[in-house]
């Protein structure tokens, strides 16, 4: 492989070992494209190289080279992460698995799919739909995020209200460890308890313990019926109380999503809709199954004391338009500036307090905060929008991010519900986990990655 002068200058001596890898690129454009994710974090330097893996053997060879030469490796999928987890710097090599994007098999009887990590979430669902099935974890970025990235952060999404997050839908994994060994975790059966649950350990580990190269996913039957309701409220605190009332009533919606007034404004401006005219906050509820209409009746009764306007979708097209409004939140905000997406979670009966606290943080720090939430599980996404030339890691944005974590902590919640820690939240991990837990997690990391080459500086 012949290197151009610019690329050669960018590499340290050890990185030259990757000239032996057939999928390695040292081109400046390739390194720039792989340098960061969708978090808004901008690394000060570029990675030394990018390996565009197309097979398990490509990943094995990359990690063997990295292990031999003690070179840091940053695993990367679709690059849609929101915590800086796949951002890379000088001295690091990006291991991009987005070209490993095949659906290897679907068993419609066992309701299982085997896929490579670069397959997009929406592609799995499209393939499953041909058999009357679906894959439950569905982040708002379903059209652009990959299964490997979903596994790395234990992603959730709208349907997690009823069906759980990624961990509940991944039965088994094939993982390449830091030294190039290949490990299989989990199983292909629905039940199994042989040995420690290494499968769960890798899910949510943000690429710090191994690189996922194959996943066995649990599929579910598509619901025979869905019913959808949109409710509008005077303010976001009232919407939060309504969402908590649904939980208290022991109702299990398949979707329960909340957007505040500023977010509705942004969506209306971007999409030409008129949601903001109907209220200061929006709650989207969907039920499924044979009794979907009865469950939606119960939701309507639970939120009636809080809502100023309740509308039931007349047909599937109207229901899809309401769901689309929620999915449009982040793209709409990205038209206003650079977006840093928060990811706190609180007990479900404290949602209203969390929204009140976020409004206070915005007023105190001067940060522009727009909030949405997976209301059924208490997972809020407060989004800070800054001008393109402003930093999200300093000034008002950084102060607001710290205050958000401490707000969640005071309410009995957590720093991250589904986006991961990455770079952006790492300094607060010790406060949440405590010294004993952090030291134990460092020991686990040292066992699986003794040279500390996998995604260093991330997660823990």
């Amino acid at each position: 492989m012949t290197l151009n002068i610019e690329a050669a200058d960018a590499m340290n001596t050890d990185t030259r070992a990757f000239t032996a890898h057939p999928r390695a690129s040292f081109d400046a454009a390739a390194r720039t494209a792989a340098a960061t994710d969708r978090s808004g974090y901008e690394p000060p330097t570029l990675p030394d190289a990018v390996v565009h893996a197309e097979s398990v053997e490509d990943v094995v060879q990359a990690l063997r080279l990295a292990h031999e030469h003690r070179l840091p490796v940053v695993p990367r999928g679709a690059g849609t992460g929101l915590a800086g987890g796949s951002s890379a710097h000088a001295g690091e090599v990006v291991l991009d698995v987005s070209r490993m994007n095949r659906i290897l098999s679907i068993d419609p009887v066992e309701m299982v799919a085997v896929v490579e990590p670069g397959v997009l979430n929406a592609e799995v669902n499209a393939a499953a739909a041909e058999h009357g099935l679906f894959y439950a974890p569905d982040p708002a970025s379903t059209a652009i995020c990959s299964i490997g990235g979903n596994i790395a952060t234990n992603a959730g999404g709208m349907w997690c209200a009823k069906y759980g997050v990624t961990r509940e839908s991944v039965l088994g994994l094939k993982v390449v460890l830091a030294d190039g060994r290949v490990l299989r975790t989990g199983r292909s059966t629905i039940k199994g308890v042989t040995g420690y649950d290494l499968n769960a350990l890798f899910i949510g580990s943000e690429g710090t313990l191994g690189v996922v190269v194959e996943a066995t996913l649990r599929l579910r039957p598509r619901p025979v019926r869905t019913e959808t309701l949109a409710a509008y409220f005077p303010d976001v605190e009232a919407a939060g109380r309504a969402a908590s009332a649904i939980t208290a009533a022991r109702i299990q919606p398949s979707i329960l999503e909340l957007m505040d007034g500023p977010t509705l404004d942004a969506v209306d401006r971007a999409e030409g809709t008129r949601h903001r005219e109907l209220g200061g906050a929006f709650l989207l509820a969907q039920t499924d199954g044979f009794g979907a209409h009865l469950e939606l009746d119960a939701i309507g009764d639970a939120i009636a004391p809080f809502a100023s306007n309740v509308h039931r979708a007349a047909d599937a097209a109207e229901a899809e338009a309401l769901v689309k409004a929620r999915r449009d939140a982040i793209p709409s905000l990205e038209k206003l500036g650079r977006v840093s997406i928060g990811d706190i979670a609180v007990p479900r009966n404290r949602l209203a307090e969390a929204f009140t606290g976020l409004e206070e943080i915005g007023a105190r720090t001067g940060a522009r905060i727009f909030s949405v939430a997976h209301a059924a599980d208490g997972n809020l996404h407060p989004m800070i929008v800054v001008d393109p030339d402003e930093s999200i890691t300093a000034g008002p944005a950084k102060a607001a991010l710290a205050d958000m974590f401490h707000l969640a902590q005071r309410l009995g919640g957590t720093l991250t519900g589904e986006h991961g820690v990455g770079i952006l939240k790492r300094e607060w991990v010790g406060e949440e986990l405590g010294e004993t837990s952090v030291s134990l997690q460092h020991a686990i990391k040292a066992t699986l990655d003794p040279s500390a080459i996998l995604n260093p500086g991330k997660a823990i």
Side-chain angles (χ1 to χ4, degrees):
M1 181 180 295
T2 302
L3 305 182
N4 62 44
I5 295 175
E6 179 184 16
D9 288 344
M11 289 192 297
N12 61 43
T13 302
D14 290 331
T15 310
R16 292 178 185 275
F18 272 82
T19 59
H21 199 295
R23 305 293 181 193
S25 173
F26 305 91
D27 178 71
R31 292 185 290 126
T32 300
T36 194
D37 55 18
R38 204 179 175 196
S39 64
Y41 172 75
E42 294 184 350
T45 55
L46 296 179
D48 288 5
V50 183
V51 173
H52 296 285
E54 297 182 6
S55 67
V56 175
E57 184 53 40
D58 286 343
V59 176
V60 169
Q61 183 179 356
L63 289 179
R64 284 176 177 168
L65 284 169
H67 177 72
E68 179 183 354
H69 296 277
R70 300 296 189 266
L71 285 169
V73 171
V74 177
R76 178 183 177 84
T80 61
L82 297 168
S86 61
S87 294
H89 305 77
E92 298 176 336
V93 174
V94 174
L95 177 52
D96 185 336
V97 297
S98 61
R99 296 181 185 177
M100 297 177 65
N101 56 8
R102 294 180 300 160
I103 296 175
L104 300 175
S105 66
I106 292 182
D107 185 332
V109 176
E110 288 298 316
M111 295 187 289
V112 167
V114 181
V115 307
E116 292 182 324
V119 175
L120 299 185
N121 184 291
E123 292 173 341
V124 174
N125 261 311
E130 296 179 9
H131 304 279
L133 304 170
F134 77 105
Y135 177 62
D138 70 324
S141 57
T142 178
I144 58 174
C145 66
S146 65
I147 293 297
N150 294 171
I151 291 169
T153 62
N154 193 27
M158 296 190 197
W159 286 334
C160 65
K162 183 173 184 177
Y163 297 103
V165 294
T166 297
R167 185 172 283 117
E168 281 73 58
S169 289
V170 177
L171 297 174
L173 297 171
K174 180 188 285 187
V175 181
V176 181
L177 299 177
D179 59 3
R181 289 179 296 163
V182 178
L183 169 71
R184 283 195 174 273
T185 69
R187 70 276 174 199
S188 58
T189 55
I190 300 300
K191 296 169 69 175
V193 292
T194 307
Y196 295 129
D197 191 355
L198 297 181
N199 205 56
L201 179 63
F202 282 96
I203 299 170
S205 64
E206 302 186 51
T208 62
L209 302 179
V211 179
V212 172
V213 291
E214 182 182 294
T216 301
L217 308 178
R218 180 181 184 178
L219 305 177
R220 300 173 190 271
R222 292 194 69 83
V224 297
R225 178 174 183 169
T226 61
E227 297 283 342
T228 305
L229 173 153
Y232 299 84
F233 302 83
D235 52 48
V236 73
E237 290 81 5
R241 289 193 293 273
S244 297
I246 293 171
T247 300
R250 306 290 190 269
I251 307 167
Q252 183 67 78
S254 53
I255 290 176
L256 189 64
E257 297 290 311
L258 195 159
M259 292 196 291
D260 71 359
T263 307
L264 290 177
D265 278 331
V267 171
D268 285 347
R269 285 197 297 271
E271 302 299 323
T273 50
R274 302 176 66 180
H275 295 287
R276 188 67 172 88
E277 295 178 10
L278 298 174
F282 167 87
L283 189 67
L284 171 70
Q286 192 169 86
T287 54
D288 64 20
F290 288 101
H293 59 300
L294 299 177
E295 286 188 304
L296 203 68
D297 288 343
I299 287 176
D301 291 341
I303 66 175
F306 309 96
S308 52
N309 185 307
V310 178
H311 174 73
R312 197 160 183 158
D315 52 34
E318 188 176 5
E320 181 54 35
L322 292 170
V323 173
K324 182 178 182 297
R326 168 60 182 88
R327 293 196 189 280
D328 286 338
I330 295 175
S332 297
L333 292 175
E334 288 176 333
K335 295 180 179 180
L336 302 180
R338 188 190 306 176
V339 182
S340 175
I341 303 172
D343 177 39
I344 59 173
V346 301
R348 292 170 294 178
N349 64 352
R350 308 198 75 173
L351 274 170
E353 294 173 79
F355 282 112
T356 299
L358 290 170
E359 290 178 335
E360 292 171 351
I361 290 170
R364 183 171 60 251
T365 63
R368 289 194 295 166
I369 299 176
F370 303 74
S371 296
V372 301
H374 303 306
D377 55 18
N379 187 188
L380 297 93
H381 294 314
M383 295 172 282
I384 302 169
V385 178
V386 301
D387 292 336
D389 58 348
E390 285 186 87
S391 172
I392 65 167
T393 56
K398 176 66 176 293
L401 188 63
D403 286 351
M404 286 175 192
F405 165 57
H406 291 117
L407 169 66
Q409 189 179 50
R410 289 196 305 274
L411 296 177
T414 180
L415 171 65
T416 174
E418 61 181 358
H419 293 170
V421 172
I423 289 175
L424 297 184
K425 305 172 190 174
R426 190 170 175 233
E427 67 183 88
W428 301 294
V429 167
E431 289 185 54
E432 178 170 328
L433 296 181
E435 183 179 343
T436 300
S437 180
V438 169
S439 63
L440 180 59
Q441 294 192 42
H442 284 163
I444 293 170
K445 164 76 170 173
T447 298
L448 291 169
D449 181 18
S451 300
I453 61 171
L454 286 176
N455 219 6
K458 314 289 177 54
I460 61 168

